[in-house]
Amino acid sequence: MTLLKWSKLIGAICMIGIILYASIGLGQSPQPSVRLTTNPPINQVQPLEAEATTVLGSGHYNPPVQLMLQAVDAQGQSLKDAKIHLQLFTPPKNPWFTTDFPIVEGTKLLDIEGNAPTGQLQVQQTLPIRGTYQLQVAVTPLVANAFQPIQQKLTLTLPENSLKFRYFGILVVILLAVGLLGGWVIGGRQAIQPGEIAPQQVRLLLSGLIIVAIAALLWVNISAELAESHHMSMPGMGEELPPSGKPAKLQSQGLYMQLSGDQSATVGQPARLQVSVSDPKTSQPVTDVVLKVTTTQLENNWVAFAYEGTPDSNGKLVWEQEFFDGAPHSVVVDVAPQANVTRQFQPFQVAENIPVEGVAPPMHVRLISLTYFTGIVVIGLLLGLWLRQRQTPRTGLTVPSLQLKIKN
């Protein structure tokens, strides 16, 4: 009887072990996923500056980063005939350490869905700020039940320009030196003339600090107002935007293509755009073509976004993109025939110029840097006072002893 009980117990333990092993093995088995690669590698990419300068950059704007999404099955093979939906979000807000474009922090930078016959989706996107970007990717089959849909979150961390840390360190040293000198002067023993509340050198130093603080406040506010008035005076912000030189809709070679959507945009808010291709005779959608979208900032002629793909079953390509620079942008869409298809024609394009309204950073964001710099000066001031007070007792003891010897 005892032997039977022991055998049952051992059998139960073995069964539990087999179940646990199977569940662990199943949990660790490869699953369908989405792979992300960038060109160039993300550690070689720098965030876009408001204006390219030879001080912080190369003096010119670099091409956008190429983001390549590849959907693969459990064996690592590319999924065929897939549809990939990509949403790209900027790094979240940080109230204490803002970026060059605080308005676009924590916003949706791109939202696009495209057919991926080979399981691959490629976009070119300029990344405006440092930090960790989040990509939400959804992969679904074009043919029902061809494979299980995939939902995946990916991240992309963009480093800050290393030269900014160097220049920030130099500025901190200068501010500390100014504060240290001021503390040294204030901490010294100085004669106060009748009717004065402080020595002349102290009064001059404090007056200088007040003037510098007032000038800094004026500079912060005036520069922000000038930037806002600059954006408001751009074409399209109260004035007529120059035409793109190309139509927004065109009928050519048996095709009708139209670019439509939002006619204007605001920094920090996504704009919705779409292009449709159809047969003007039958009004049926055309899907056997290739669409190439290019969004260019017109002031400095740099590419903000680019994509090449095919329209959906309705002959449309729909996307949302955020214009993070308050300047006019040109959206150009080229259409070309696919290889090895019956329909062949000469490529043509439609275009639209979109005015983008700039948004000045909030006052509290503008004052953050001023507060930090003021704090650095105060630290230097306190350090100078402390060093002066440490030296003052020694000087006070030496001078009276010399005076007593002379009197004797």
Side-chain angles (χ1 to χ4, degrees):
M1 192 69 180
T2 305
L3 182 61
L4 181 60
K5 290 182 179 179
W6 276 106
S7 62
K8 289 182 178 179
L9 178 61
I10 294 173
I13 293 175
C14 292
M15 183 63 67
I16 293 173
I18 292 172
I19 294 173
L20 289 176
Y21 179 79
S23 61
I24 293 174
L26 183 62
Q28 292 180 347
S29 62
Q31 299 293 323
S33 62
V34 179
R35 298 172 181 173
L36 171 65
T37 56
T38 65
N39 185 26
I42 195 62
N43 58 359
Q44 299 178 11
V45 180
Q46 294 182 350
L48 178 77
E49 300 293 341
E51 293 292 339
T53 62
T54 55
V55 177
L56 287 176
S58 59
H60 66 275
Y61 292 93
N62 293 322
V65 183
Q66 187 176 41
L67 306 177
M68 294 169 284
L69 298 171
Q70 182 69 56
V72 297
D73 58 17
Q75 288 73 39
Q77 301 297 320
S78 298
L79 293 173
K80 306 297 183 182
D81 297 326
K83 178 182 290 186
I84 299 180
H85 182 198
L86 168 65
Q87 296 182 80
L88 176 62
F89 296 88
T90 58
K93 292 182 179 293
N94 188 330
W96 307 113
F97 300 98
T98 60
T99 61
D100 294 334
F101 300 91
I103 298 299
V104 307
E105 296 173 3
T107 59
K108 184 190 292 185
L109 187 61
L110 179 64
D111 189 335
I112 188 170
E113 185 178 59
N115 294 338
T118 62
Q120 187 177 84
L121 179 76
Q122 295 186 18
V123 299
Q124 296 182 54
Q125 176 66 55
T126 294
L127 304 178
I129 57 177
R130 68 173 185 271
T132 300
Y133 292 77
Q134 185 181 91
L135 297 87
Q136 295 184 3
V137 185
V139 183
T140 55
L142 291 174
V143 179
N145 302 322
F147 58 84
Q148 289 295 324
I150 303 173
Q151 299 280 343
Q152 190 169 342
K153 291 184 179 179
L154 304 169
T155 57
L156 193 68
T157 301
L158 184 65
E160 182 58 282
N161 189 339
S162 59
L163 289 176
K164 282 192 172 183
F165 297 109
R166 182 187 306 176
Y167 295 139
F168 177 75
I170 295 174
L171 181 59
V172 168
V173 171
I174 293 175
L175 293 177
L176 279 175
V178 172
L180 185 64
L181 178 61
W184 184 270
V185 173
I186 293 175
R189 291 187 174 182
Q190 301 172 10
I192 301 178
Q193 301 299 327
E196 294 180 343
I197 60 174
Q200 182 180 7
Q201 289 140 334
V202 175
R203 286 186 283 112
L204 290 175
L205 179 62
L206 293 177
S207 299
L209 291 176
I210 292 173
I211 293 173
V212 171
I214 293 174
L217 284 171
L218 289 175
W219 178 80
V220 168
N221 288 277
I222 292 175
S223 60
E225 294 299 327
L226 288 176
E228 186 172 1
S229 63
H230 169 67
H231 294 309
M232 293 299 294
S233 64
M234 288 179 181
M237 301 293 113
E239 300 179 9
E240 185 178 355
L241 186 69
S244 63
K246 301 180 180 63
K249 52 185 177 180
L250 181 62
Q251 180 175 333
S252 175
Q253 307 172 70
L255 292 176
Y256 176 74
M257 183 166 66
Q258 180 179 7
L259 175 63
S260 58
D262 294 338
Q263 301 298 310
S264 62
T266 302
V267 171
Q269 301 177 10
R272 183 179 177 86
L273 299 166
Q274 75 170 27
V275 59
S276 59
V277 185
S278 62
D279 188 327
K281 295 181 180 180
T282 63
S283 299
Q284 294 299 311
V286 175
T287 60
D288 57 348
V289 294
V290 177
L291 300 175
K292 182 179 179 181
V293 181
T294 305
T295 301
T296 306
Q297 196 257 32
L298 294 178
E299 275 195 344
N300 306 105
N301 198 35
W302 49 266
V303 176
F305 166 72
Y307 169 76
E308 183 174 335
T310 59
D312 60 16
S313 58
N314 297 317
K316 296 181 179 181
L317 174 65
V318 183
W319 76 98
E320 291 182 2
Q321 66 176 106
E322 179 182 341
F323 298 91
F324 47 83
D325 191 14
H329 287 65
S330 172
V331 180
V332 179
V333 182
D334 294 85
V335 60
Q338 293 185 10
N340 303 321
V341 297
T342 304
R343 189 192 307 271
Q344 295 295 320
F345 57 91
Q346 290 297 319
F348 61 95
Q349 61 183 208
V350 293
E352 185 77 34
N353 284 356
I354 298 179
V356 181
E357 180 180 357
V359 179
M363 178 61 70
H364 71 275
V365 173
R366 286 180 260 164
L367 292 178
I368 287 177
S369 298
L370 180 61
T371 302
Y372 288 155
F373 295 149
T374 304
I376 295 171
V377 174
V378 170
I379 292 174
L381 187 67
L382 296 176
L383 183 60
L385 287 171
W386 178 71
L387 292 175
R388 188 72 175 196
Q389 289 175 359
R390 287 194 62 186
Q391 187 181 22
T392 299
R394 299 177 185 175
T395 306
L397 290 174
T398 305
V399 173
S401 62
L402 289 176
Q403 291 176 351
L404 288 175
K405 289 182 180 180
I406 293 172
K407 290 181 179 179
N408 292 336

